[in-house]
Amino acid sequence: MAKSLILLLAVAFSLLVLSAHAIGEKGQSDRRLSDPEKCRIERLSASRPSRRIQSEGGVTELWDMNENQLQCAGVAVMKNTIQPHSLSLPNYSPSPRLVYIEQGRGLLSILYPGCEESYHSTRGEEQQQTGQSKQDQHQKVHRIVQGQIVAIPAGAAHWCYNDGNEDLVAVSVTDVSNAANQLDPRPRHFYLAGGKPRSEPGMEEFNAENIIRPFDSNLLAAALDVSVDTARKLQKQDERGFIVKAKQEEMSIIRPEEEEEYEERYKGRRDNGLEEAYCNMRINQNIDNAREADVYSRQAGRINSVNMHKLPILSYLGLSAEKVYLYENAIYVPHWSMNSHSIVYVTRGSGRIQVVGSNGNTVLNEEVRRGQIVVVPQYFAVMTKANDNGFEWISFKTSALPMKSPLVGARSALKGMPVQVLANSYQISNREAQDVKYNRERHSYLVPGSAKSSS
């Protein structure tokens, strides 16, 4: 009887989660369709950051949110470079964010409300006055490394520390049109510390401040049970910016690979499932691993994807990602996305991207290089060809389970049509129709370069 009740409750909970997810997906669709004018795009272009904010311990670069392509996709794009032994200050956003670690390594913690401080430091500092050791407790710390996709839910405060010997470079896409954001669709960042750095000539300031600063100092001191002097220190003006240099001797944080979670605490008590289903959700997934490629061609390259099946937390964010590696002169065949926009950020090499809209006009046909982004709207057809030095990019998708339809190759639109339909549609012979249908039947999405495809 007890087992049946537990099973029934588990099924009910699963249905509740699925229903909430479905409502969230519908809400996201409604929000995205609320202003169709934003996606009446006549011209796309590759772009670079338009704003740069220099902090004490790194640089924040922002793309112009007013660009038509970003307005259409309903996203904001940002690139953070965190210097070694520097800390990106705790903050949260009303919109979910997907991050690609382009370079380096570091530590990241996402602070979920209601979750235990399950990491307990064993390196307590001796208190000289009392002779007692001080033990720190905090929420889970994640190791992040180059090539990983990292998911950050809306409203969850988080911080990041670069404990490596090289810059940590992170490119992120924030879904400001997500149903989780009930404010206006523009990027907002709520910082729990720090403040605006000193403005530089020609550089716009980041619209963010320490949200603790405006509170009444006496009330804040009472809420924290600390002295008013301590409360005022939390509120003081800080011109170091949003990424600050940290004192190495004070950053002896528990590293995931060095210490195990403190599990003895949970023995002998009943869990309500929160710790397993929510607090300990995996937030990162390597998208650069060649062994986990979804599509692989020895002559053309590979495609790696991370969706809600590989990283379940993405089902709550409504986001996913795809990493594409094209060898020299290889082609990513024409295709279109059926349920998402794609925000393409070039990580290496260069290539030509062509995008065609519903009116039959080419909205993009240009060379794109490292550090540039391009937005490919939903249903717009896109084809990509690598240059002689190869071409790699990360594509952020505005769906947790994106679907795309190829025009060429195995399981494609053209291969799925009868020969006679192709012949009559294009006024070609049956032999030509067979060539169109079968010449690439052994390829899926990626085809090697050849003399026929060279520009």
Side-chain angles (χ1 to χ4, degrees):
M1 181 66 182
K3 290 184 178 179
S4 300
L5 181 58
I6 292 173
L7 179 61
L8 181 61
L9 289 174
V11 172
F13 178 75
S14 300
L15 291 174
L16 181 61
V17 171
L18 290 173
S19 299
H21 174 60
I23 292 171
E25 288 287 334
K26 182 180 185 302
Q28 291 176 39
S29 301
D30 292 344
R31 291 287 295 275
R32 293 187 188 281
L33 293 175
S34 61
D35 191 356
E37 293 292 332
K38 291 181 179 179
C39 283
R40 291 188 178 179
I41 293 176
E42 299 297 330
R43 182 70 183 169
L44 293 170
S45 62
S47 66
R48 293 188 180 276
S50 61
R51 288 183 284 175
R52 175 186 172 92
I53 301 107
Q54 181 71 53
S55 296
E56 178 191 56
V59 177
T60 300
E61 297 173 273
L62 305 167
W63 273 259
D64 185 3
M65 181 59 190
N66 293 320
E67 285 188 24
N68 288 340
Q69 57 182 351
L70 294 179
Q71 289 278 320
C72 171
V75 300
V77 184
M78 177 173 65
K79 181 177 180 178
N80 272 319
T81 301
I82 306 173
Q83 297 171 4
H85 310 298
S86 294
L87 174 70
S88 177
L89 293 174
N91 69 94
Y92 63 91
S93 170
S95 305
R97 183 184 305 170
L98 203 57
V99 184
Y100 174 69
I101 308 301
E102 185 177 6
Q103 175 186 302
R105 53 180 276 156
L107 301 173
L108 174 75
S109 181
I110 298 178
L111 311 175
Y112 297 111
C115 294
E116 292 266 9
E117 291 79 23
S118 58
Y119 270 41
H120 291 221
S121 172
T122 58
R123 303 188 185 96
E125 297 180 359
E126 294 295 327
Q127 301 292 339
Q128 299 298 327
Q129 296 83 357
T130 63
Q132 297 177 348
S133 65
K134 189 81 170 180
Q135 189 180 65
D136 187 25
Q137 302 178 18
H138 52 79
Q139 287 199 23
K140 186 173 183 177
V141 177
H142 303 265
R143 165 65 66 194
I144 56 174
V145 298
Q146 178 178 329
Q148 284 186 341
I149 284 290
V150 182
I152 301 178
H158 56 279
W159 56 263
C160 182
Y161 174 63
N162 181 356
D163 66 339
N165 297 318
E166 63 175 337
D167 287 350
L168 172 60
V169 181
V171 180
S172 64
V173 167
T174 302
D175 186 9
V176 296
S177 293
N178 193 282
N181 178 23
Q182 298 183 30
L183 303 173
D184 55 326
R186 68 183 181 90
R188 294 174 184 265
H189 303 269
F190 295 81
Y191 275 82
L192 306 184
K196 292 183 179 179
R198 295 175 181 175
S199 59
E200 300 178 5
M203 301 297 180
E204 297 183 49
E205 290 184 332
F206 197 29
N207 184 24
E209 279 283 5
N210 178 0
I211 63 170
I212 295 178
R213 182 173 298 128
F215 286 114
D216 180 272
S217 300
N218 293 296
L219 290 179
L220 183 62
L224 292 172
D225 192 20
V226 297
S227 69
V228 175
D229 181 60
T230 298
R232 286 173 178 164
K233 289 180 180 179
L234 302 180
Q235 298 175 303
K236 68 179 180 181
Q237 187 70 33
D238 191 345
E239 294 184 339
R240 293 180 300 166
F242 310 108
I243 305 171
V244 302
K245 289 286 187 182
K247 297 179 181 179
Q248 296 182 44
E249 63 271 16
E250 295 182 3
M251 293 298 291
S252 57
I253 303 168
I254 297 176
R255 283 147 174 82
E257 64 270 23
E258 293 177 1
E259 300 197 30
E260 298 294 330
E261 288 187 64
Y262 186 77
E263 296 178 348
E264 294 296 327
R265 179 184 186 92
Y266 302 110
K267 287 185 177 180
R269 70 160 196 170
R270 295 182 179 179
D271 288 335
N272 59 8
L274 180 67
E275 290 78 12
E276 181 178 352
Y278 180 64
C279 299
N280 292 323
M281 278 195 298
R282 203 159 44 86
I283 66 163
N284 49 356
Q285 172 80 22
N286 194 320
I287 200 172
D288 280 357
N289 192 340
R291 295 180 179 179
E292 297 182 0
D294 298 276
V295 177
Y296 174 75
S297 167
R298 183 173 295 178
Q299 296 80 30
R302 73 177 192 269
I303 301 174
N304 288 47
S305 65
V306 173
N307 56 33
M308 60 184 282
H309 293 318
K310 294 184 179 180
L311 191 60
I313 192 174
L314 295 180
S315 64
Y316 299 98
L317 274 64
L319 297 170
S320 58
E322 177 183 85
K323 185 73 183 289
V324 182
Y325 305 78
L326 283 185
Y327 300 155
E328 60 180 51
N329 301 315
I331 296 173
Y332 194 165
V333 303
H335 64 279
W336 61 92
S337 176
M338 302 173 67
N339 62 344
S340 69
H341 301 301
S342 301
I343 299 87
V344 175
Y345 173 80
V346 180
T347 57
R348 191 188 72 83
S350 61
R352 178 193 290 184
I353 299 181
Q354 296 182 341
V355 182
V356 179
S358 59
N359 56 7
N361 292 338
T362 300
V363 296
L364 176 70
N365 182 13
E366 63 180 84
E367 298 286 325
V368 182
R369 301 182 180 277
R370 181 177 181 178
Q372 292 182 310
I373 69 163
V374 169
V375 173
V376 181
Q378 180 187 17
Y379 298 119
F380 281 47
V382 57
M383 178 169 60
T384 307
K385 180 179 182 295
N387 287 338
D388 292 339
N389 56 349
F391 196 23
E392 295 179 11
W393 69 88
I394 182 79
S395 182
F396 300 88
K397 309 280 188 177
T398 57
S399 170
L401 194 62
M403 297 177 63
K404 56 190 176 183
S405 180
L407 188 64
V408 178
R411 297 175 293 279
S412 67
L414 292 181
K415 189 171 183 295
M417 297 180 192
V419 168
Q420 292 79 7
V421 172
L422 291 173
N424 284 279
S425 295
Y426 299 111
Q427 292 185 309
I428 57 179
S429 67
N430 284 350
R431 177 59 184 271
E432 290 173 315
Q434 287 179 339
D435 289 343
V436 168
K437 181 173 180 175
Y438 293 111
N439 280 2
R440 291 297 192 187
E441 67 173 334
R442 294 187 178 182
H443 295 87
S444 178
Y445 288 103
L446 307 180
V447 299
S450 65
K452 291 181 182 180
S453 63
S454 61
S455 55

